[in-house]
Coordinates of all heavy atoms in Angstrom, one line a residue:
D1 N 25.6 3.5 -2.8 CA 26.1 4.8 -2.3 C 25.1 5.8 -3.0 O 24.3 5.5 -3.8 CB 27.5 5.1 -2.7 CG 27.8 5.0 -4.2 OD1 26.8 5.2 -5.0 OD2 28.9 4.7 -4.6
D2 N 25.2 7.1 -2.5 CA 24.2 8.1 -3.0 C 24.3 8.3 -4.5 O 23.3 8.7 -5.1 CB 24.4 9.4 -2.3 CG 24.0 9.3 -0.8 OD1 23.3 8.4 -0.4 OD2 24.5 10.2 0.0
E3 N 25.4 8.1 -5.1 CA 25.6 8.3 -6.6 C 24.6 7.3 -7.3 O 24.2 7.6 -8.4 CB 27.0 8.1 -7.0 CG 27.9 9.2 -6.6 CD 28.3 9.2 -5.1 OE1 28.5 8.1 -4.6 OE2 28.4 10.3 -4.5
K4 N 24.4 6.2 -6.8 CA 23.5 5.2 -7.4 C 22.1 5.7 -7.6 O 21.4 5.3 -8.5 CB 23.5 3.9 -6.5 CG 22.8 2.7 -7.1 CD 23.6 1.9 -8.1 CE 22.9 0.6 -8.5 NZ 23.5 0.0 -9.6
M5 N 21.7 6.6 -6.7 CA 20.4 7.2 -6.9 C 20.2 8.0 -8.2 O 19.1 8.2 -8.7 CB 20.0 8.1 -5.7 CG 20.0 7.4 -4.3 SD 18.8 6.1 -4.3 CE 17.7 6.6 -3.1
E6 N 21.3 8.5 -8.7 CA 21.3 9.3 -9.9 C 21.4 8.5 -11.2 O 21.2 9.0 -12.3 CB 22.5 10.3 -9.9 CG 22.4 11.4 -8.8 CD 21.3 12.4 -9.0 OE1 21.0 12.7 -10.2 OE2 20.7 12.9 -8.1
E7 N 21.7 7.2 -11.1 CA 21.8 6.4 -12.3 C 20.5 6.3 -12.9 O 19.4 6.2 -12.3 CB 22.3 5.0 -11.9 CG 23.8 4.9 -11.6 CD 24.2 3.5 -11.3 OE1 23.5 2.5 -11.6 OE2 25.3 3.3 -10.8
T8 N 20.5 6.3 -14.2 CA 19.2 6.2 -15.0 C 19.1 4.8 -15.6 O 20.0 4.2 -16.1 CB 19.2 7.2 -16.2 OG1 19.3 8.5 -15.6 CG2 17.9 7.1 -17.0
K9 N 17.9 4.2 -15.5 CA 17.5 2.9 -16.0 C 16.2 3.0 -16.7 O 15.4 3.8 -16.4 CB 17.4 1.9 -14.8 CG 18.6 1.7 -13.9 CD 19.8 1.1 -14.6 CE 20.9 1.0 -13.6 NZ 22.1 0.5 -14.2
E10 N 16.0 2.0 -17.6 CA 14.7 2.0 -18.3 C 13.7 1.2 -17.4 O 14.0 0.0 -17.1 CB 14.8 1.3 -19.7 CG 13.5 1.3 -20.4 CD 13.6 0.8 -21.8 OE1 14.6 1.0 -22.5 OE2 12.6 0.2 -22.3
V11 N 12.6 1.8 -17.1 CA 11.6 1.1 -16.3 C 10.2 1.4 -17.0 O 9.9 2.5 -17.2 CB 11.5 1.7 -14.8 CG1 10.5 1.0 -14.0 CG2 12.9 1.6 -14.2
F12 N 9.6 0.3 -17.3 CA 8.3 0.4 -18.0 C 8.4 1.3 -19.3 O 7.4 2.0 -19.6 CB 7.2 0.9 -17.1 CG 7.0 0.0 -15.9 CD1 6.8 0.6 -14.6 CD2 7.0 -1.3 -15.9 CE1 6.6 -0.1 -13.5 CE2 6.8 -2.1 -14.8 CZ 6.6 -1.5 -13.6
G13 N 9.5 1.3 -20.0 CA 9.7 2.0 -21.2 C 10.1 3.5 -20.9 O 10.3 4.2 -21.9
F14 N 10.3 3.9 -19.7 CA 10.7 5.2 -19.4 C 12.1 5.2 -18.9 O 12.6 4.3 -18.3 CB 9.8 5.8 -18.3 CG 8.4 6.0 -18.7 CD1 7.4 5.0 -18.3 CD2 7.9 7.1 -19.4 CE1 6.1 5.1 -18.7 CE2 6.6 7.2 -19.8 CZ 5.7 6.2 -19.5
Q15 N 12.8 6.3 -19.0 CA 14.2 6.5 -18.5 C 14.0 7.2 -17.1 O 13.7 8.4 -17.1 CB 15.1 7.3 -19.4 CG 15.3 6.6 -20.8 CD 16.1 5.3 -20.6 OE1 17.1 5.3 -19.8 NE2 15.7 4.3 -21.3
W16 N 14.2 6.5 -16.0 CA 14.1 7.1 -14.7 C 15.4 6.9 -13.9 O 16.0 5.9 -14.0 CB 13.0 6.4 -13.9 CG 11.6 6.6 -14.4 CD1 11.1 7.6 -15.2 CD2 10.4 5.8 -14.1 NE1 9.8 7.5 -15.4 CE2 9.3 6.4 -14.7 CE3 10.2 4.7 -13.3 CZ2 8.0 5.9 -14.6 CZ3 9.0 4.1 -13.2 CH2 7.9 4.7 -13.9
K17 N 15.7 7.9 -13.2 CA 16.8 7.8 -12.2 C 16.3 6.9 -11.1 O 15.1 6.8 -10.8 CB 17.1 9.2 -11.6 CG 17.8 10.1 -12.6 CD 18.2 11.4 -12.0 CE 18.9 12.3 -13.0 NZ 19.4 13.5 -12.4
N18 N 17.3 6.1 -10.5 CA 16.9 5.2 -9.4 C 16.2 5.9 -8.3 O 15.2 5.3 -7.7 CB 18.2 4.5 -8.9 CG 18.7 3.5 -9.9 OD1 18.0 3.0 -10.8 ND2 20.0 3.2 -9.7
G19 N 16.6 7.1 -8.0 CA 15.9 7.8 -6.9 C 14.4 8.1 -7.2 O 13.5 8.1 -6.4
M20 N 14.1 8.3 -8.5 CA 12.8 8.6 -9.0 C 12.0 7.2 -8.9 O 10.8 7.2 -8.5 CB 12.8 9.1 -10.4 CG 11.4 9.2 -11.0 SD 10.3 10.3 -10.2 CE 10.9 11.9 -10.8
T21 N 12.6 6.2 -9.4 CA 11.9 4.9 -9.4 C 11.5 4.5 -7.9 O 10.4 4.1 -7.7 CB 12.8 3.8 -10.0 OG1 13.1 4.2 -11.3 CG2 12.1 2.4 -10.0
L22 N 12.4 4.7 -7.0 CA 12.1 4.4 -5.6 C 11.0 5.3 -5.1 O 10.1 4.8 -4.3 CB 13.4 4.5 -4.7 CG 14.4 3.4 -5.0 CD1 15.7 3.8 -4.2 CD2 13.9 2.1 -4.6
S23 N 11.0 6.6 -5.5 CA 10.0 7.5 -5.1 C 8.6 7.0 -5.6 O 7.6 7.0 -4.9 CB 10.3 8.9 -5.5 OG 9.2 9.8 -5.2
L24 N 8.6 6.6 -6.9 CA 7.3 6.2 -7.5 C 6.9 4.8 -6.9 O 5.7 4.6 -6.7 CB 7.5 6.1 -9.0 CG 7.7 7.4 -9.7 CD1 8.0 7.2 -11.2 CD2 6.4 8.3 -9.5
F25 N 7.8 4.0 -6.5 CA 7.5 2.7 -5.8 C 6.8 3.0 -4.5 O 5.8 2.4 -4.2 CB 8.8 1.9 -5.6 CG 8.7 0.8 -4.7 CD1 8.1 -0.4 -5.1 CD2 9.1 0.9 -3.4 CE1 7.9 -1.5 -4.3 CE2 8.9 -0.2 -2.5 CZ 8.3 -1.4 -2.9
V26 N 7.3 3.9 -3.7 CA 6.7 4.3 -2.4 C 5.3 4.8 -2.7 O 4.3 4.5 -2.0 CB 7.6 5.2 -1.6 CG1 6.9 5.7 -0.4 CG2 8.9 4.5 -1.2
K27 N 5.2 5.7 -3.6 CA 3.9 6.3 -3.9 C 2.9 5.3 -4.4 O 1.7 5.3 -4.1 CB 4.0 7.4 -5.0 CG 4.7 8.7 -4.4 CD 5.0 9.7 -5.5 CE 5.7 10.9 -4.8 NZ 6.1 11.8 -5.8
H28 N 3.4 4.3 -5.2 CA 2.5 3.2 -5.6 C 2.0 2.4 -4.4 O 0.8 2.1 -4.4 CB 3.4 2.3 -6.6 CG 2.8 1.0 -6.9 ND1 3.1 -0.2 -6.3 CD2 1.9 0.7 -7.9 CE1 2.4 -1.1 -6.9 NE2 1.7 -0.7 -7.8
E29 N 2.9 2.1 -3.5 CA 2.4 1.4 -2.3 C 1.4 2.2 -1.5 O 0.4 1.7 -1.0 CB 3.6 1.1 -1.4 CG 3.2 0.3 -0.1 CD 4.4 -0.3 0.6 OE1 5.3 -0.8 0.0 OE2 4.3 -0.4 1.8
I30 N 1.6 3.5 -1.3 CA 0.7 4.4 -0.6 C -0.7 4.4 -1.3 O -1.7 4.3 -0.6 CB 1.3 5.8 -0.4 CG1 2.5 5.8 0.5 CG2 0.2 6.7 0.1 CD1 3.3 7.1 0.5
H31 N -0.7 4.5 -2.6 CA -1.9 4.5 -3.4 C -2.7 3.2 -3.1 O -3.9 3.2 -2.8 CB -1.6 4.6 -4.9 CG -2.6 4.2 -5.8 ND1 -3.8 4.9 -6.0 CD2 -2.7 3.1 -6.6 CE1 -4.5 4.3 -6.9 NE2 -3.9 3.2 -7.3
H32 N -2.0 2.1 -3.3 CA -2.7 0.8 -3.1 C -3.1 0.5 -1.6 O -4.1 -0.1 -1.3 CB -1.9 -0.4 -3.6 CG -1.9 -0.4 -5.1 ND1 -3.1 -0.4 -5.9 CD2 -0.9 -0.4 -6.0 CE1 -2.8 -0.5 -7.1 NE2 -1.5 -0.4 -7.3
R33 N -2.3 1.1 -0.7 CA -2.7 1.0 0.7 C -4.0 1.7 1.0 O -4.8 1.2 1.8 CB -1.5 1.5 1.6 CG -1.6 1.2 3.0 CD -0.4 1.6 3.8 NE -0.2 3.1 3.8 CZ 1.0 3.7 3.8 NH1 2.1 3.0 3.9 NH2 1.0 5.0 3.8
G34 N -4.2 2.8 0.4 CA -5.5 3.5 0.5 C -6.7 2.6 0.0 O -7.7 2.5 0.7
Q35 N -6.4 2.0 -1.1 CA -7.5 1.0 -1.6 C -7.7 -0.1 -0.6 O -8.8 -0.5 -0.4 CB -7.0 0.5 -3.0 CG -7.0 1.5 -4.1 CD -6.5 0.9 -5.4 OE1 -5.6 0.1 -5.4 NE2 -7.0 1.4 -6.5
L36 N -6.6 -0.6 -0.1 CA -6.7 -1.7 0.9 C -7.5 -1.3 2.1 O -8.4 -2.1 2.5 CB -5.2 -2.0 1.4 CG -5.1 -3.2 2.3 CD1 -5.2 -4.5 1.5 CD2 -3.8 -3.2 3.0
T37 N -7.4 -0.1 2.6 CA -8.2 0.3 3.8 C -9.7 0.4 3.5 O -10.5 0.0 4.3 CB -7.7 1.7 4.3 OG1 -7.9 2.7 3.4 CG2 -6.3 1.6 4.8
V38 N -10.0 0.7 2.2 CA -11.5 0.7 1.9 C -12.0 -0.7 1.9 O -13.1 -0.9 2.4 CB -11.7 1.4 0.5 CG1 -13.1 1.2 0.0 CG2 -11.3 2.9 0.5

């Protein structure tokens, strides 16, 4: 549910909300996809 996006978890030593982790996950994919195209 949407409340789960506000939960905070430790990821790589940082305290991130789930919504932040998912956002960084997508940005991580976009970053590497750019490398892939090169």
Side-chain angles (χ1 to χ4, degrees):
D1 57 25
D2 290 342
E3 288 76 34
K4 186 84 170 166
M5 298 301 242
E6 294 290 328
E7 286 183 15
T8 301
K9 305 290 182 185
E10 183 175 328
V11 182
F12 303 137
F14 297 97
Q15 296 295 317
W16 290 340
K17 291 183 178 183
N18 288 339
M20 173 62 79
T21 302
L22 290 171
S23 178
L24 293 172
F25 168 77
V26 171
K27 289 174 183 175
H28 170 261
E29 181 166 322
I30 293 167
H31 161 73
H32 286 306
R33 193 173 63 208
Q35 293 175 323
L36 186 78
T37 62
V38 171

